[in-house]
Amino acid sequence: MKFHKIIRISVLGVLPLLMLGFNSNKKDIYKKDWIDFNKNGVKDVFEDPTALLEDRVKNLVSLMNVNEKTCQLTTLYGYSRVLADELPTKAWKNKVWKDGIANIDEHLNTIWNQEKTHTKYAYPYSTHAETINIVQKWFVEETRLGIPVDFTNEGVHGLCHEKATPLPAPIGIGSTWNKDLVRKAGEIVGREAKALGYTNVYAPILDVARDQRWGRVLECYGEEPFHIAEMGKQMTLGIQSQGVASTLKHFAVYSIPKGARDGDARTDSHVAPREMFQLHLYPFKRVIQEAAPMGIMSSYNDYDGVPITASRYFLTDLLREKFGFKGYVVSDSEAVEYVSEKHHVAKDYKEAVRQVIEAGLNVRTTFRTPESFIEPLRELIRDGEISIKTIDSRVADVLRVKFRLGLFDNPYVENPEEADKLVHTPEDEAFSKQINRESLVLLKNENNLLPLDLKNLDNILVTGPLANEVSFTYSRYGPAFNPSVSVFEGVKKYAGNNANVSFVKGCDIVDPDWPGSEIIPTELSAKEQADIDAAVEKAKQSDIIIAVVGEDEKRVGETKSRTSLGLPGRQFKLVQALYATGKPVVLVLINGQPLTINWENKFLPAILEAWFPSTAAGEVIAETLFGDYNPGGKLSVTFPKTVGQIPLNFPFKPGSQAGQPGAGPNGYGNTRVLGPLYPFGYGLSYTTFEYSDLEVTPKSLKPQADIHVAFKITNTGTRAGDEVVQMYLKDIVSSVTTYESVLRGFERIHLKPNETKTVNFILHPDDLAILDKNMNWTVEPGVFKVLIGSSSVDIKLSDQFKVVNVYN
């Protein structure tokens, strides 16, 4: 470890060091094998790299005064959010963070649609790393104890930075069902964060998206807890393998607000305790215990009347004592403020501060000044309303993570210039395209219309409001300024001189009266009719129509829940008009949540689900439409036929999504639409697959034994392709009502034509466990059925085994 390394400061340009408040004589704190953070000339225990972690934490806490402790319990939001300065200034000596700070969030990261965040210090990458070093250097050298800062940043669509490697939206990542790919994505996010100076990434999101109207479905991996746990585990392991922290969000029961409403609504979840543990807490428990994330973000909703961020049960009893979490907890934006301002369980904000600290929150994180939290906290300590013992415990959690991150051994980016070689490499760009390819889901392909054959096409129309748009390829939680390719541009480039590719927009994403027009339809304006007519005229002259429709970033996301899931605005009328020409229509969906595309599914011959792809959108969609890539993604959320069916998800309880009787006293007439449009796990391919030779061993076992499952999968078609094989488990009889079946294994398998592979799964006791009548996780004796299939409803093979009483 190079503790004595002198960091580069060329980024300062004309800014003299004195303007930054730096004192050149501070360089003598960097010793041969340690750093004298508190500048006393003595190697204290916390400064000794060879000392035990807990001894270092305990020693440092003992040296801190109240001001320094409280500063370790709040976030300083970075440049242009709260922090007005890109670089340290002399005025910092008079700011509250003169005594340190827990973390600085999103400093110099650049958000694509927020111009105020754009900064010359973000790029080149080495400039960013140097600048972060300078900020870190100020905290190490200019505060009394020199406690380094944890630099946090968002990372669910790829690292939120000007030109980091872009990833598709998490719902697209979830649709890959590729654990190795997700692990690699995490490694890229972690490597880029580390190279740029970030030490903590707010990813992955482990929310279980059970209401398709909810605006943040696009930021979730899906609706099924086992699938989410497997994907989230790999993302966490990948990020933390690079020496940075992964902070999971949003704990807990956040993703199923009443009626899918969020924003100014209370976002209270109506979830029974057993369902809470089996669905919503399951991914957090698994990832905490199997990947040891260093961070958790507490959510701003309540559960059964108690705000999560003010709940000792959630933040301490469950999170730490039962699940074994050993990192530090940050609050989601406004979660602390909502305790008094929205939930009204505290008489004022000061009381809200007391409640969250007592509950187990470590760091208040929101777009407000640090003083707004630190000052009432210091008053509470002074007045004896919070004990120093509690404060010391909360501070220790934060410091423990900083020690684990190595910030007290080497607080700086060692070689800033290397960032230019480590961030968004050509290999990363190739990976970005591949994960976008694997996120695509083929929903319909009547008479094998796809892949398209350029030899048979002279004129191609690419139409729709999203056909020549790229805004959906960027995210508030991902990279900002990478060059992006629209679907029209991608198709035009792919066709080259082999076909004439035209673009007509056809309509806007929404009409002026939307979303009200979903409730009370309005007549098309003259311009709207003319726009649709123009697309129709061009369609009549074309051999194939590629209609790119759906949602954009203004229609989905946080606080953007919907009341309907049809195509917004005039898009449905455009699609109907295109179909009426008699020319074949290929529908490409750009969307963040399942859409109720019943008419489209019935009448259009081909539908490709692209979700919110990143900047390679046009390239990978064109490759797929024309057959250079064979789509193999599967849906990680159920597509309902209508919002009137919601909740409609997998897994589900027996009878909860059942039909209506056809006989008996009530067996007459039908009053509702039944079944999903597309079920969980569904997705087509340009090739075909055959399943065979299922073996489940042993057939009889004690409750703590493993079960081995093996079967064969063969590509029986003419193209190489991917199949996502899925293993479901059904508990035949149990002491409490369990789900009809649950997902307990999956793999994405690549097969050449006529190639056969053997797939092996292992069912562990935890995979069989249910919450019994006493709310204890138990493996009950009885018969279990193993179901192997291509989706949750397309089951190809089945067998069963029996768990016998341990005393038998």
Side-chain angles (χ1 to χ4, degrees):
M1 296 182 182
K2 302 177 182 178
F3 301 99
H4 60 285
K5 184 177 179 65
I6 303 300
I7 64 170
R8 292 199 300 162
I9 54 173
S10 59
V11 68
L12 297 179
V14 298
L15 294 177
L17 290 179
L18 290 179
M19 285 184 66
L20 299 175
F22 287 169
N23 191 332
S24 60
N25 64 13
K26 295 291 177 63
K27 65 183 180 182
D28 61 1
I29 69 172
Y30 303 99
K31 310 297 183 180
K32 182 180 179 182
D33 60 353
W34 62 285
I35 299 174
D36 187 11
F37 288 99
N38 63 358
K39 308 155 193 75
N40 65 354
V42 177
K43 185 193 286 186
D44 293 282
V45 174
F46 85 93
E47 297 166 339
D48 184 355
T50 66
L52 296 175
L53 171 62
E54 290 306 315
D55 290 342
R56 298 181 79 179
V57 172
K58 184 178 180 180
N59 174 244
L60 179 52
V61 171
S62 72
L63 298 174
M64 299 171 71
N65 60 40
V66 169
N67 286 358
E68 290 160 338
K69 290 175 181 178
T70 52
C71 280
Q72 292 300 314
L73 300 179
T74 193
T75 293
L76 171 60
Y77 253 96
Y79 170 66
S80 82
R81 270 50 70 91
V82 170
L83 189 58
D85 312 304
E86 295 159 297
L87 293 164
T89 69
K90 293 199 311 185
W92 283 24
K93 278 293 193 177
N94 299 314
K95 299 291 186 179
V96 70
W97 55 86
K98 69 181 183 300
D99 294 311
I101 205 74
N103 54 25
I104 299 180
D105 193 23
E106 298 199 84
H107 191 50
L108 307 176
N109 62 350
T110 305
I111 297 174
W112 75 277
N113 60 353
Q114 295 184 22
E115 188 173 352
K116 68 178 184 178
T117 69
H118 302 173
T119 170
K120 63 183 178 182
Y121 296 106
Y123 186 81
Y125 306 121
S126 54
T127 296
H128 186 280
E130 291 171 345
T131 310
I132 293 293
N133 272 353
I134 290 168
V135 177
Q136 185 74 282
K137 185 179 176 73
W138 188 92
F139 281 91
V140 169
E141 297 186 359
E142 300 300 322
T143 64
R144 185 180 76 94
L145 291 179
I147 299 173
V149 171
D150 184 13
F151 285 95
T152 55
N153 196 7
E154 301 286 353
V156 299
H157 289 249
L159 190 70
C160 186
H161 178 268
E162 184 167 314
K163 291 181 181 292
T165 301
L167 299 178
I171 191 64
I173 296 174
S175 297
T176 70
W177 295 63
N178 190 328
K179 289 174 280 190
D180 292 338
L181 206 68
V182 176
R183 172 64 183 258
K184 178 64 175 177
E187 291 172 357
I188 291 172
V189 171
R191 170 182 19 99
E192 294 185 339
K194 183 81 169 179
L196 290 165
Y198 297 113
T199 49
N200 193 327
V201 177
Y202 291 159
I205 290 177
L206 298 185
D207 300 319
V208 182
R210 302 290 286 185
D211 193 324
Q212 293 89 339
R213 297 167 297 180
W214 187 50
R216 301 195 84 172
V217 169
L218 86 160
E219 293 168 7
C220 303
Y221 291 135
E223 69 184 15
E224 203 284 332
F226 181 88
H227 169 265
I228 296 166
E230 291 288 296
M231 305 299 261
K233 172 184 173 181
Q234 296 305 322
M235 181 64 75
T236 301
L237 289 171
I239 290 171
Q240 295 201 157
S241 72
Q242 305 303 302
V244 301
S246 167
T247 292
L248 315 180
K249 51 186 194 175
H250 308 85
F251 187 82
V253 205
Y254 168 73
S255 55
I256 185 167
K258 183 179 179 181
R261 293 182 287 272
D262 57 7
D264 289 337
R266 284 183 57 220
T267 69
D268 51 337
S269 53
H270 289 195
V271 178
R274 184 172 278 105
E275 182 177 341
M276 176 180 74
F277 278 97
Q278 292 177 324
L279 294 183
H280 297 275
L281 295 180
Y282 178 92
F284 286 95
K285 179 182 178 182
R286 283 271 319 273
V287 174
I288 288 168
Q289 294 179 346
E290 298 175 24
M294 290 187 240
I296 288 284
M297 180 179 289
S298 67
S299 55
Y300 50 65
N301 56 286
D302 69 335
Y303 177 75
D304 197 23
V306 180
I308 296 293
T309 301
S311 169
R312 181 174 178 83
Y313 174 73
F314 278 95
L315 298 193
T316 299
D317 298 350
L318 278 183
L319 190 58
R320 295 191 182 277
E321 296 176 7
K322 288 196 175 183
F323 295 173
F325 175 66
K326 298 186 185 304
Y328 76 85
V329 182
V330 300
S331 65
D332 198 357
S333 292
E334 300 298 278
V336 175
E337 291 73 14
Y338 284 172
V339 172
S340 56
E341 296 174 8
K342 179 179 287 189
H343 299 294
H344 305 297
V345 299
K347 64 180 180 180
D348 54 28
Y349 175 63
K350 182 177 175 180
E351 169 59 15
V353 171
R354 188 196 68 79
Q355 288 188 22
V356 299
I357 289 293
E358 292 284 5
L361 182 72
N362 296 105
V363 175
R364 194 287 301 266
T365 303
T366 194
F367 297 95
R368 304 193 187 197
T369 65
E371 293 93 331
S372 64
F373 184 79
I374 289 172
E375 289 173 0
L377 182 57
R378 289 174 181 173
E379 290 178 12
L380 289 163
I381 297 169
R382 182 195 64 205
D383 296 342
E385 295 184 58
I386 294 181
S387 72
I388 283 295
K389 182 179 180 180
T390 298
I391 295 296
D392 287 353
S393 177
R394 302 294 178 265
V395 171
D397 293 333
V398 177
L399 297 178
R400 192 174 293 112
V401 169
K402 291 186 177 185
F403 278 110
R404 288 173 63 188
L405 290 171
L407 289 173
F408 286 92
D409 301 327
N410 190 356
Y412 307 116
V413 180
E414 279 199 46
N415 298 296
E417 64 277 6
E418 287 189 356
D420 293 328
K421 301 177 182 178
L422 292 173
V423 181
H424 204 158
T425 66
E427 293 77 14
D428 295 336
E429 180 62 21
F431 173 86
S432 177
K433 292 180 181 178
Q434 183 61 23
I435 195 170
N436 272 281
R437 291 185 188 101
E438 296 199 21
S439 71
L440 302 176
V441 183
L442 184 61
L443 298 179
K444 186 178 180 182
N445 192 21
E446 190 175 84
N447 298 323
N448 295 318
L449 175 63
L450 297 178
L452 302 173
D453 188 347
L454 267 178
K455 296 192 298 291
N456 299 325
L457 301 172
D458 293 322
N459 295 291
I460 300 170
L461 172 62
V462 184
T463 184
L466 293 163
N468 201 25
E469 179 61 66
V470 296
S471 63
F472 60 81
T473 67
Y474 301 103
S475 167
R476 186 268 177 258
Y477 296 104
F481 293 143
N482 292 307
S484 187
V485 179
S486 71
V487 177
F488 166 63
E489 292 169 333
V491 171
K492 187 174 180 64
K493 180 179 178 181
Y494 186 92
N497 296 323
N498 297 308
N500 177 45
V501 180
S502 303
F503 163 71
V504 179
K505 187 176 181 180
C507 68
D508 293 329
I509 294 172
V510 295
D511 60 272
D513 297 315
W514 190 88
S517 56
E518 291 185 329
I519 301 172
I520 303 177
T522 56
E523 294 295 325
L524 274 68
S525 67
K527 181 182 183 305
E528 288 173 332
Q529 187 64 63
D531 288 343
I532 291 176
D533 291 344
V536 167
E537 285 306 307
K538 183 60 70 171
K540 291 176 180 177
Q541 305 166 25
S542 303
D543 302 306
I544 191 77
I545 304 164
I546 299 172
V548 188
V549 297
E551 304 167 309
D552 64 357
E553 76 288 350
K554 294 180 181 179
R555 253 46 68 170
V556 294
E558 189 169 9
T559 77
K560 297 183 179 69
S561 61
R562 290 188 58 188
T563 50
S564 171
L565 290 174
L567 288 175
R570 308 304 192 187
Q571 295 183 66
F572 181 51
K573 291 185 179 295
L574 170 66
V575 171
Q576 287 184 307
L578 294 170
Y579 170 77
T581 66
K583 298 299 179 72
V585 179
V586 176
L587 199 71
V588 175
L589 291 175
I590 304 292
N591 50 301
Q593 60 222 103
L595 300 178
T596 51
I597 50 169
N598 300 283
W599 187 94
E600 297 89 331
N601 178 68
K602 182 175 181 178
F603 293 104
L604 303 185
I607 304 174
L608 181 68
E609 173 61 80
W611 297 118
F612 266 38
S614 58
T615 50
E619 298 173 71
V620 300
I621 289 172
E623 292 170 354
T624 303
L625 294 178
F626 290 97
D628 284 3
Y629 177 72
N630 184 356
K634 301 279 188 176
L635 296 180
S636 59
V637 284
T638 300
F639 275 53
K641 293 175 180 174
T642 168
V643 293
Q645 294 177 292
I646 295 173
L648 187 75
N649 307 101
F650 183 89
F652 55 90
K653 296 289 182 69
S656 66
Q657 295 178 189
Q660 294 181 313
N666 296 316
Y668 56 88
N670 292 312
T671 61
R672 64 183 295 112
V673 174
L674 303 174
L677 181 61
Y678 309 113
F680 174 80
Y682 171 85
L684 304 177
S685 171
Y686 294 156
T687 190
T688 55
F689 301 95
E690 182 178 284
Y691 292 68
S692 64
D693 302 315
L694 173 63
E695 295 183 5
V696 177
T697 55
K699 291 298 179 65
S700 180
L701 61 143
K702 298 293 177 68
Q704 294 307 305
D706 286 344
I707 302 97
H708 295 265
V709 178
F711 60 93
K712 293 180 180 179
I713 178 77
T714 302
N715 184 344
T716 54
T718 59
R719 291 175 175 268
D722 294 355
E723 172 70 329
V724 177
V725 297
Q726 301 158 46
M727 176 175 66
Y728 297 90
L729 184 70
K730 180 179 177 65
D731 191 345
I732 303 300
V733 178
S734 50
S735 62
V736 296
T737 304
T738 56
Y739 296 101
E740 187 67 32
S741 67
V742 290
L743 181 70
R744 284 298 180 261
F746 62 87
E747 292 292 340
R748 184 163 180 150
I749 309 294
H750 183 75
L751 293 167
K752 299 174 183 177
N754 300 315
E755 183 181 9
T756 298
K757 289 183 180 179
T758 298
V759 181
N760 293 281
F761 291 123
I762 298 177
L763 283 164
H764 302 293
D766 285 350
D767 294 320
L768 279 59
I770 64 170
L771 277 171
D772 65 14
K773 292 180 179 179
N774 298 315
M775 293 297 287
N776 294 315
W777 286 103
T778 307
V779 179
E780 295 184 339
V783 176
F784 293 80
K785 183 175 285 188
V786 175
L787 308 166
I788 303 296
S790 182
S791 78
S792 59
V793 300
D794 188 8
I795 301 301
K796 309 290 189 180
L797 307 168
S798 67
D799 199 354
Q800 63 185 37
F801 61 90
K802 184 176 183 180
V803 175
V804 299
N805 194 298
V806 69
Y807 300 110
N808 287 357

